[in-house]
Each structure stands twice: as structure tokens, then as C-alpha cells.
Amino acid sequence: MRALANLFGKSPFFPLQEHMDRVSDCIKKLSEAFAAMKAQNFEKLESLAKEVSKLEHLADLSKNEIRNHLPKSLFLPIEREMLLNILTIQDNIADTAEDVAVLLTLKKLKVNEKLVNDFEHLLKKNIHCFQKAHEIISTLHELFQSSFGGVEAEAVRSMVEDVAFQEHQVDLEQRKLLKKLFNLEEELSYSSFDLLMRILEAISKISDLSEKLANCVRVTIERR
């Protein structure tokens, strides 16, 4: 506890950044999971889903450590509520990564390669959006050192706008894929169609949460 308190004393953002790194570990595994589904390697897919669950658990442990040991008496450069909000959104991203991985294992989906490629493309765009949000969290200590002002704050505002743009691009891709799915509805079994819809929604949630996280950081800056 003392070590974590000392870490908070140096910067309240180091623990958040470490937690976000664990969240990133979860997200990175999703590309491997989709590759396994594309190759119809369901045994490997099951193994990767278990890996994501283990990584999500590690992120949970990190989250709990922060929540349990965040010093109440310590002067923080941002509102305690805002710090915890950022942590909660990061946690939700890890949970979503686990949801995607688990959904992929619920049925041995056998769909045409083009459709799988479309899903894979959507995933890549969501991961890219997440990575942009991860970059914002990685800059928080430097932002703290600059007292949330100057060129550092302007750089973060620009990065937040970029995340919003990336999330919009994801929305456009999601709509295209939704139309394609509905056009293929009669060619798919009900269970396959329903599962693909759930996978699509879970994947797209990654970019939604990434934008929410970026906006939360921007609100933190503006409140300074």
C-alpha cells in the first residue's frame, strides 16, 4: 500500500497508465483471435479467449489496487471523481475485449471469407481508435508536469479530436457491415446471424469507449 501511495504522490497518473497497458494487452489479443477464426482454428481460438480472460483479470486486479489504495487525504491535481471515471472507462474496455473473445467461441462460425475480412477490417479500425486513446493516457504525466496547460494541453486536445474522428470512421464502417449482414440474413442461420450481430456490436463498443475516455481526459483539462 505504501508503495502505491508513494506512486500516487509522484503522479496520480502512473497507476492509470499501468492499468491502461494491461487493457492494451487484452485488446492486442483480439487480432490473433480473429485470425484463428478466419483459419477455422477453433482450438487455438478457445485458447486465445482464455488468454484474454486471464489478461482481463490482471487488469481487474490492477483496477482494484488503485481503487482500494487511492489515498483519500492526498492532494490530487485533478478531481478524485474524474480519476476514477477514467479508470472505470479503461476497465470497461478490458471487459469489452473479453466479451468479444468469448463471443467468438460460442459457436464454430463458418461464414464466407469476405464477411470475415469485413469484420477483421472493422476490428482493426476499432483497435486503431483505442491505440489513439492509449496515447492520450500515456501523455498524462507530461500533462501533469505542465500543470495541464501550454503546448502539452493543446497536443492532447488535438489527440482527442483525432480519436473522435477515428470513432466516426468506425461508425461508417459499422453501418456498411450492418447492411451487408441484413442482406445476407436469409443465407445465415438465425443463431449465426444473431451471434455476428452481437460480435459486431461488441467490437464497435471499443471505439465508443475509446472516444468516451478521450473526452473524459479533455473535460479534466478544461476543469483545471
Side-chain angles (χ1 to χ4, degrees):
M1 177 175 176
R2 181 177 298 176
L4 190 61
N6 289 339
L7 192 57
F8 273 115
K10 293 177 182 177
S11 167
F13 301 117
F14 283 148
L16 280 179
Q17 290 169 333
E18 290 185 356
H19 177 260
M20 189 61 161
D21 289 341
R22 293 187 182 275
V23 175
S24 181
D25 291 338
C26 299
I27 294 292
K28 288 175 182 176
K29 283 292 175 183
L30 295 183
S31 294
E32 294 182 50
F34 258 84
M37 185 186 79
K38 187 175 180 179
Q40 300 284 283
N41 190 339
F42 298 112
E43 183 177 345
K44 184 177 181 181
L45 180 56
E46 289 280 355
S47 176
L48 286 166
K50 290 177 182 177
E51 285 185 47
V52 175
S53 291
K54 288 178 182 178
L55 291 169
E56 189 279 332
H57 178 62
L58 291 176
D60 262 350
L61 294 178
S62 176
K63 171 199 67 180
N64 293 337
E65 279 291 303
I66 295 172
R67 284 179 175 172
N68 294 337
H69 297 146
L70 178 62
K72 293 182 174 63
S73 60
L74 183 67
F75 172 76
L76 294 172
I78 66 170
E79 296 175 21
R80 179 188 177 89
E81 179 185 357
M82 294 303 296
L83 191 148
L84 291 174
N85 282 346
I86 291 172
L87 178 64
T88 296
I89 299 170
Q90 291 182 178
D91 177 57
N92 289 340
I93 295 174
D95 289 342
T96 301
E98 183 179 30
D99 289 344
V100 173
V102 171
L103 285 169
L104 290 174
T105 66
L106 294 184
K107 180 179 180 179
K108 293 182 178 180
L109 284 167
K110 295 181 179 180
V111 294
N112 67 67
E113 186 176 348
K114 183 167 176 51
L115 189 59
V116 174
N117 288 340
D118 289 338
F119 268 86
E120 198 170 31
H121 181 65
L122 181 69
L123 176 65
K124 286 179 180 178
K125 281 192 168 292
N126 274 272
I127 291 176
H128 182 64
C129 187
F130 165 78
Q131 289 170 339
K132 292 292 183 180
H134 191 181
E135 288 175 17
I136 293 174
I137 298 300
S138 297
T139 68
L140 287 180
H141 179 63
E142 287 71 26
L143 193 61
F144 167 55
Q145 290 182 315
S146 68
S147 300
F148 295 88
V151 295
E152 290 83 3
E154 286 305 314
V156 169
R157 289 188 183 95
S158 177
M159 292 166 74
V160 170
E161 292 298 327
D162 190 23
V163 171
F165 174 75
Q166 297 301 331
E167 192 277 335
H168 176 65
Q169 295 299 108
V170 169
D171 280 348
L172 296 178
E173 290 298 322
Q174 181 185 9
R175 291 169 199 165
K176 290 179 184 177
L177 188 47
L178 273 172
K179 287 182 180 179
K180 183 171 290 188
L181 268 178
F182 279 113
N183 287 331
L184 293 172
E185 185 178 5
E186 294 182 0
E187 299 177 25
L188 299 167
S189 67
Y190 172 79
S191 61
S192 293
F193 177 79
D194 180 63
L195 183 54
L196 287 169
M197 288 291 290
R198 290 166 65 185
I199 292 171
L200 186 152
E201 290 172 1
I203 292 173
S204 299
K205 190 176 177 182
I206 294 171
S207 59
D208 290 339
L209 288 168
S210 297
E211 183 183 28
K212 186 176 180 181
L213 179 61
N215 285 333
C216 191
V217 173
R218 174 159 55 187
V219 170
T220 299
I221 295 173
E222 302 306 333
R223 286 188 179 183
R224 292 295 300 162

